[in-house]
Amino acid sequence: SPEFVRPHFMIATGIENSYPTIALPDGRIKRVDSMAKSDHYRRWREDFEKVKELGIGFLRYGPPYYQVHQGPGSYDWAFADETFHALREMGITPIADLCHFGLPDWLGSFQNPDFPRHFAEYARAFAERYPWVHLFTPVNEIFVTALFSARFGWWNERLQDERAFVTAIKHLCQANVLAMRAIALVRPGATFIQSEVSEYSHAEDPECLAECRFLNEKRFLALDLTYGYPISATMFEYLLANGFTTKDYHWFAQHRVKANCIIGTDYYETNELLVSPDRPTTQAGDVFGYYILCRQYFDRYRLPIMHTETNMAEPRSVAWLRKQAATMVRLKQDGIPIVGFTWYSLTDQVDWDTCLREDNGRVNPLGLYDLDRKIRPVGEMYRALIQKWEAILATDSIVLTLGY
């Protein structure tokens, strides 16, 4: 395929494609497929047309991994062939989202030590089949996947202990690293956009400061392992106490894939937490906001950054988008290599008010379009922002462009 040159700034949206398994009240296990809930399987071409209608050039998108990967070396590419070929014909650049909160039944759960190897084989097979795809998110939101599956007990293995969390995050990070290496073998110029949650814990009381320091180190764990970043003694002790070994630690240092990486940081109003000594942790709102959290992640890893997810429900969505857009401009002005922004997702979502752990069919008005594919006010604003700001944000120096 022709050589791919990554643009200076990528304005994107995404098709919400989570597919974890959950336990229903009657004990049955059910797969929660967000693309089915949004009717994307039937209306996918219309959805792509809406992307074009807004002037969006980049789409976070991936086939349902649990459907495609049917066994070791066995794949069903039928739906992916239709959709990815259509994206190519329509001139929409996909950021291929290969694993989004779930895995095939035959692999069991993220406690399975064979998952990384099989996932890397899948990632390579995908890259070989679609040689025009150059942007990849191998494993979406590793930290959240491990937390919700193995610490909170909501998804997939539904475990609730630190050892299970450490096992899950180890396997997910190994899968991420091995997938990047496998893709790079067949696509040397590939760019990897990690897409990780950006968090911060605030102490409500001085006696919570130590816990917050620990949580504010733990939030980096998925990226630290992926990039082979030297972790703190406190975090190393925590890992060793929960089944991680020095051999595991050295594996990540020896296998890190940092070249051609972009830190994808996801930020919502729920990402900042308030830790209290006498009640459960609660949401703090955007106390620091994306600007400060983005700088913290950049200062740690010194890589280009893309804002890979944000949204807000109506009627606050327009004001939230305005704030995030202003933050993008300010980050560029201050010399932070911010290379993209994403309103997630294209259409409204379903059941994210319970983090997918309940199958209620409740629509969450978070999209640029509603589920009837009628544009929302935030969609109109996004189109206007793209028209006004895309060319300026794509310049090498917004400081010079704006006359500062």
Side-chain angles (χ1 to χ4, degrees):
S1 61
E3 183 179 354
F4 176 76
V5 179
R6 194 186 79 218
H8 290 292
F9 200 86
M10 296 174 278
I11 296 181
T13 187
I15 304 294
E16 218 291 287
N17 66 329
S18 303
Y19 35 77
T21 57
I22 63 169
L24 298 176
D26 62 8
R28 289 181 297 121
I29 305 303
K30 179 176 181 178
R31 177 79 62 176
V32 178
D33 187 328
S34 293
M35 290 201 293
K37 289 195 171 195
S38 69
D39 203 16
H40 176 72
Y41 290 123
R42 187 173 66 90
R43 305 180 71 170
W44 61 266
R45 190 174 295 276
E46 183 181 0
D47 287 344
F48 293 169
E49 289 169 354
K50 297 301 181 185
V51 174
K52 294 289 290 184
E53 181 180 285
L54 294 182
I56 298 171
F58 296 84
L59 184 69
R60 290 196 60 209
Y61 186 73
Y65 173 47
Y66 79 96
Q67 292 183 18
V68 177
H69 200 178
Q70 301 200 328
S74 176
Y75 312 103
D76 178 358
W77 299 110
F79 182 69
D81 280 351
E82 279 195 295
T83 53
F84 275 85
H85 285 294
L87 289 173
R88 188 185 191 195
E89 291 172 357
M90 296 173 74
I92 299 170
T93 301
I95 303 171
D97 185 355
L98 300 184
C99 178
H100 203 116
F101 296 150
L103 72 175
D105 290 340
W106 64 272
L107 278 171
S109 76
F110 296 114
Q111 303 298 302
N112 184 352
D114 293 327
F115 162 63
R117 172 174 57 86
H118 288 297
F119 179 70
E121 291 171 357
Y122 166 72
R124 176 166 181 156
F126 180 94
E128 289 174 336
R129 193 170 187 88
Y130 308 109
W132 60 88
V133 178
H134 293 268
L135 302 175
F136 296 87
T137 298
V139 183
N140 173 74
E141 285 194 352
I142 290 171
F143 186 81
V144 170
T145 304
L147 199 67
F148 287 12
S149 299
R151 186 65 187 89
F152 293 172
W154 293 348
W155 296 344
N156 303 308
E157 53 260 51
R158 296 174 301 282
L159 298 176
Q160 299 183 41
D161 63 81
E162 295 290 348
R163 192 178 187 91
F165 168 79
V166 169
T167 299
I169 206 166
K170 178 180 75 172
H171 292 160
L172 284 156
C173 289
Q174 287 175 335
N176 198 39
V177 169
L178 291 176
M180 287 192 284
R181 291 168 68 93
I183 291 167
L185 287 174
V186 296
R187 194 69 34 71
T191 297
F192 303 105
I193 304 172
Q194 296 306 127
S195 191
E196 278 297 321
V197 63
S198 54
E199 284 194 349
Y200 192 85
S201 294
H202 302 272
E204 188 176 47
D205 188 277
E207 67 180 89
C208 302
L209 285 171
E211 182 179 358
C212 284
R213 279 195 295 270
F214 174 78
L215 293 173
N216 287 328
E217 279 292 316
K218 188 178 182 181
R219 63 177 168 150
F220 292 123
L221 194 51
L223 291 172
D224 283 352
L225 294 177
T226 291
Y227 296 143
Y229 185 88
I231 60 178
S232 69
T234 299
M235 192 52 54
F236 190 56
E237 289 177 349
Y238 161 76
L239 290 173
L240 292 180
N242 289 285
F244 206 81
T245 67
T246 54
K247 183 179 179 180
D248 293 329
Y249 182 68
H250 292 309
W251 186 94
F252 284 105
Q254 294 161 3
H255 289 79
R256 65 178 182 172
V257 182
K258 194 173 179 180
N260 293 335
C261 285
I262 292 171
I263 308 169
T265 45
D266 302 346
Y267 181 75
Y268 297 95
E269 191 179 42
T270 56
N271 286 27
E272 296 187 53
L273 306 171
L274 188 62
V275 180
S276 171
D278 53 10
R279 67 172 185 269
T281 297
T282 57
Q283 297 168 6
D286 58 332
V287 178
F288 284 172
Y290 182 71
Y291 181 90
I292 290 178
L293 268 63
C294 177
R295 295 203 66 144
Q296 290 178 345
Y297 282 75
F298 172 71
D299 289 343
R300 191 174 184 92
Y301 302 111
R302 311 302 293 183
L303 285 169
I305 292 186
M306 181 174 180
H307 194 338
T308 37
E309 283 187 27
T310 196
N311 64 41
M312 177 64 70
E314 286 192 343
R316 298 174 57 204
S317 52
V318 167
W320 184 259
L321 175 56
R322 184 179 292 115
K323 179 175 181 177
Q324 302 309 307
T327 302
M328 295 299 99
V329 175
R330 187 70 254 174
L331 285 164
K332 289 280 273 186
Q333 287 175 327
D334 291 349
I336 303 299
I338 189 88
V339 298
F341 176 79
T342 313
W343 185 272
Y344 199 84
S345 51
L346 178 73
T347 64
D348 288 349
Q349 300 176 17
V350 181
D351 288 332
W352 262 107
D353 53 312
T354 63
C355 294
L356 303 182
R357 65 187 187 271
E358 297 179 13
D359 186 30
N360 301 319
R362 186 177 297 120
V363 176
N364 313 133
L366 302 167
L368 300 168
Y369 292 84
D370 64 22
L371 291 185
D372 291 325
R373 278 52 178 183
K374 295 179 180 177
I375 195 165
R376 289 196 176 278
V378 71
E380 298 280 11
M381 185 180 183
Y382 204 38
R383 177 163 51 196
L385 284 170
I386 292 168
Q387 293 170 353
K388 292 177 182 178
W389 285 98
E390 185 175 31
I392 293 176
L393 288 167
T395 58
D396 287 326
S397 176
I398 196 172
V399 175
L400 295 177
T401 302
L402 297 180
Y404 287 87

